[in-house]
Amino acid sequence: MKWFMVKTFFLISLMFIAVLFGMQLANEGIHNMKGYDDVNFKDPFAVNENEGGELQASILGNDISSHDLQRKKEKLEEMKAYNFFSSLGKSLSDGISEATEKTIHHITNLINGE
């Protein structure tokens, strides 16, 4: 069992390294295919440190900060968005739970002879 776990861990590590290597090769291949360096061609996900020592993240060229996320959360709370499928799922689960409770209660009453 010990050797199986060692071999499995080794294979998983090898596959992980192979995936990272393949991603790097694909990125280099895209740059080579273009034939020139384009300043508009940015990494899909980048984390940089600014002059103040704070970390800034960008996803697909859009800068992301905790303030942006807080604003979006406040905006969603203000909208009080109504999700039809969410409310349908809640009411369906409540109905199933109530029906299950009544069925179990009925069965236990039959067993106990009440």
Side-chain angles (χ1 to χ4, degrees), residues 45-49 54-59 61-65 68:
F45 180 76
V47 178
N48 300 321
E49 188 173 348
E54 296 178 2
L55 294 177
Q56 293 180 333
S58 66
I59 298 176
N62 298 325
D63 290 333
I64 304 295
S65 69
D68 292 339

Side-chain angles (χ1 to χ4, degrees), residues 34 37 41 44 72 86-87 90 99 106-107 113:
K34 284 187 89 170
D37 287 330
F41 189 67
K72 287 180 182 179
S86 177
S87 64
K90 285 180 184 177
H106 183 68
I107 291 172

Side-chain angles (χ1 to χ4, degrees), residues 23-101:
M23 290 172 69
Q24 182 64 30
L25 282 176
N27 190 21
E28 289 175 7
I30 289 172
H31 284 288
N32 291 339
M33 191 168 62
K34 284 187 89 170
Y36 60 92
D37 287 330
D38 189 1
V39 294
N40 294 327
F41 189 67
K42 298 178 182 176
D43 292 332
F45 180 76
V47 178
N48 300 321
E49 188 173 348
N50 63 7
E51 298 84 24
E54 296 178 2
L55 294 177
Q56 293 180 333
S58 66
I59 298 176
L60 298 175
N62 298 325
D63 290 333
I64 304 295
S65 69
S66 61
H67 300 294
D68 292 339
L69 296 176
Q70 185 65 28
R71 255 188 273 129
K72 287 180 182 179
K73 181 179 176 183
E74 290 172 0
K75 186 176 180 181
L76 283 174
E77 288 173 355
E78 288 174 6
M79 288 174 42
K80 295 181 182 176
Y82 176 74
N83 188 345
F84 172 73
F85 293 110
S86 177
S87 64
L88 181 67
K90 285 180 184 177
S91 62
L92 183 64
S93 75
D94 289 340
I96 291 173
S97 297
E98 188 175 329
T100 304
E101 284 181 28

